[in-house]
């Protein structure tokens, strides 16, 4: 997806929607996956709106976008629990 997500002020959710296609994750190197998973894990552990955004806009959809297998080894236990099988 390369178009505008919406015309509103960017939010955590609107930024994470860009990852919902799985394309970015499918072509990521191991170092990039590790760095991204570190961010995801920290966001989930922080709680609040950041945890909600990563959970609902990314982790719940990893299987649908066929990125679960690629990111799974790098996710914390808490982050893995937010994914859907």
């Amino acid at each position: 997806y390369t178009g505008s997500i919406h015309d509103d002020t960017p939010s955590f959710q609107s930024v994470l929607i860009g990852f919902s296609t799985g394309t970015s994750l499918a072509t990521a190197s191991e170092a990039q996956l590790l760095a991204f998973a570190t961010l995801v894990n920290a966001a989930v552990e922080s709680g609040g709106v950041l945890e909600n955004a990563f959970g609902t806009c990314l982790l719940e959809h990893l299987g649908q976008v066929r990125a679960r297998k690629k990111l799974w080894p790098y996710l914390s236990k808490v982050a893995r629990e937010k994914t859907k099988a």
Side-chain angles (χ1 to χ4, degrees), residues 52-73:
N52 179 269
F54 275 84
T56 60
C57 296
L58 179 72
L59 294 172
E60 288 183 6
H61 303 287
L62 283 180
Q64 294 170 337
V65 299
R66 296 187 175 110
R68 185 174 186 259
K69 185 177 179 181
K70 187 110 178 182
L71 192 59
W72 186 263

Side-chain angles (χ1 to χ4, degrees), residues 24-80:
S24 300
L25 297 173
T27 59
S29 69
E30 185 173 344
Q32 290 170 323
L33 289 168
L34 179 58
F36 186 65
T38 300
L39 174 67
V40 172
N41 294 335
V44 169
E45 291 179 23
S46 74
V49 291
L50 197 54
E51 174 190 15
N52 179 269
F54 275 84
T56 60
C57 296
L58 179 72
L59 294 172
E60 288 183 6
H61 303 287
L62 283 180
Q64 294 170 337
V65 299
R66 296 187 175 110
R68 185 174 186 259
K69 185 177 179 181
K70 187 110 178 182
L71 192 59
W72 186 263
Y74 306 99
L75 294 176
S76 68
K77 181 181 178 192
V78 176
R80 287 177 180 180

Side-chain angles (χ1 to χ4, degrees), residues 10-32:
S11 65
F12 295 133
Q13 287 84 353
S14 68
V15 171
L16 289 169
I17 287 171
F19 289 96
S20 67
T21 64
T23 303
S24 300
L25 297 173
T27 59
S29 69
E30 185 173 344
Q32 290 170 323

